[in-house]
Amino acid sequence: PLSGVAGSQPFRLVVHTNALVQMDFHAHLMLSEVIGLLGGLWDADSRVLTVARAFVCDALESADAHTNVEMDPGSELVVRQQIADAGLRVVGWYHSHPTFRPDPSIIDIENQTAYQKLFRDDASAEEPFVGAIVAPYDPELPGPLSALNWFRVARSAVDRGHPKRLAVEAVPDHALPPADQLALLLLLDAAHTLKHRAALEEAWRPSSTELRALKMAASLALRMPWLARAETETETETVAETDAAGASADAGADVADAGADAGAAATVSSACLAAGRRAARDPFLAALCSRFSVGVFRPGADVAVLDSVYAAYFARWAAQ
């Protein structure tokens, strides 16, 4: 970014982790594409574009909703006002590719081009507007963390009209505000009545027994830096394969993948174990998981099992 080389990224892109959590959460709820706007700030002097929050928008009904999405114009106006009321400006949009790679389609490129022109900053002669694509259930994912692609459409003479992947700097938030927690949980509750909702208590891909609910919780946990904060301990604790297997059996088939990874690794750092415990007790993740009733989330399930499952995910993520 800002190298001055033809075709290079013309501004730094800084994204708050809570915006990632919000987009990822929304994307997991539907097997049709979802859509929303991104609120943030644009500093023309330093050429820094900051994405602070994601705002959910309604999508228009369409026959190809699983592979295409169009924002409801009325919803867009309402959300743009919400962004302004929050003291932010519209700096981007996001949508999902539910079960396939987050590569921009021709329609995505056309939409991004139109948005860049609409939100052009004449004072800096720049187009501070980005696109994000979330892929929650791409069967090629190496783990539970959803794929996320940030892009813009180039306008230089050498690559005009081509989508360009953006380099991103993450700003770690320290918590998800209670109002945002409530808004996301209400969004989940409302999704139960929608036509293309994702059945979260079913497996998320054919090659796995891992449920969408567990995959979703793990992906969100990996985007919450306050769960994985550095520990003072540096030692590692050995996790026997029999313990991991026992945890999988007790929790149900949906945690077989995570249990296998924990057993294969044989050791999980104390930081990952602590992160797992924090994830299992995080108020937002706990409220989310209380809405499910299978596997590790079933009523009366041992929270220590969930500790181990989250820890296995953190260990696998750290090893990648």
Side-chain angles (χ1 to χ4, degrees), residues 73-138:
S75 175
E76 179 178 0
L77 290 176
V78 170
V79 172
R80 285 174 65 172
Q81 185 60 53
Q82 291 174 349
I83 292 173
D85 291 344
L88 305 172
R89 62 177 284 166
V90 179
V91 296
W93 70 301
Y94 72 92
H95 73 288
S96 66
H97 285 182
T99 59
F100 53 102
R101 294 179 181 180
D103 299 323
S105 66
I106 293 176
I107 294 177
D108 295 339
I109 294 170
E110 292 174 348
N111 287 337
Q112 177 65 25
T113 301
Y115 272 129
Q116 286 180 204
K117 291 179 179 177
L118 178 63
F119 290 98
R120 175 183 171 83
D121 178 29
D122 292 329
S124 62
E126 192 50 77
E127 296 173 352
F129 190 95
V130 297
I133 306 175
V134 189
Y137 301 124
D138 177 2

Side-chain angles (χ1 to χ4, degrees), residues 107-317:
I107 294 177
D108 295 339
I109 294 170
E110 292 174 348
N111 287 337
Q112 177 65 25
T113 301
Y115 272 129
Q116 286 180 204
K117 291 179 179 177
L118 178 63
F119 290 98
R120 175 183 171 83
D121 178 29
D122 292 329
S124 62
E126 192 50 77
E127 296 173 352
F129 190 95
V130 297
I133 306 175
V134 189
Y137 301 124
D138 177 2
E140 297 181 0
L141 289 175
L145 187 66
S146 302
L148 182 56
N149 180 16
W150 293 89
F151 75 103
R152 69 186 298 274
V153 176
R155 58 185 181 88
S156 67
V158 296
D159 52 8
R160 187 181 304 277
H162 292 278
K164 304 281 286 187
R165 186 180 291 267
L166 298 171
V168 180
E169 303 170 37
V171 177
D173 290 304
H174 301 293
L176 189 63
D180 291 345
Q181 294 183 34
L182 178 60
L184 292 177
L185 294 173
L186 291 175
L187 188 65
L188 169 63
D189 294 339
H192 288 299
T193 63
L194 300 180
K195 180 180 178 181
H196 301 295
R197 70 179 181 86
L200 296 175
E201 296 184 352
E202 295 180 1
W204 71 275
R205 58 180 166 185
S207 61
S208 174
T209 56
E210 187 178 42
L211 302 187
R212 290 191 182 103
L214 179 58
K215 189 266 180 208
M216 176 184 187
S219 185
L220 296 175
L222 294 174
R223 298 193 188 281
M224 296 176 170
W226 56 89
L227 300 180
R229 64 181 184 270
E231 292 295 298
T232 54
E233 305 93 341
T234 57
E235 75 277 6
T236 61
E237 298 184 28
T238 300
V239 179
E241 292 188 26
T242 53
D243 291 341
S248 292
D250 182 50
D254 58 309
V255 298
D257 290 342
D261 283 331
T267 59
V268 176
S269 70
S270 59
C272 289
L273 291 171
R277 287 192 291 269
R278 284 192 291 270
R281 292 158 180 78
D282 180 81
F284 174 67
L285 290 177
L288 168 65
C289 296
S290 70
R291 281 149 165 84
F292 310 120
S293 58
V294 294
V296 288
F297 305 134
R298 71 187 188 280
D302 186 354
V303 70
V305 174
L306 190 55
D307 292 350
S308 300
V309 172
Y310 277 126
Y313 282 124
F314 277 106
R316 180 168 67 177
W317 181 55

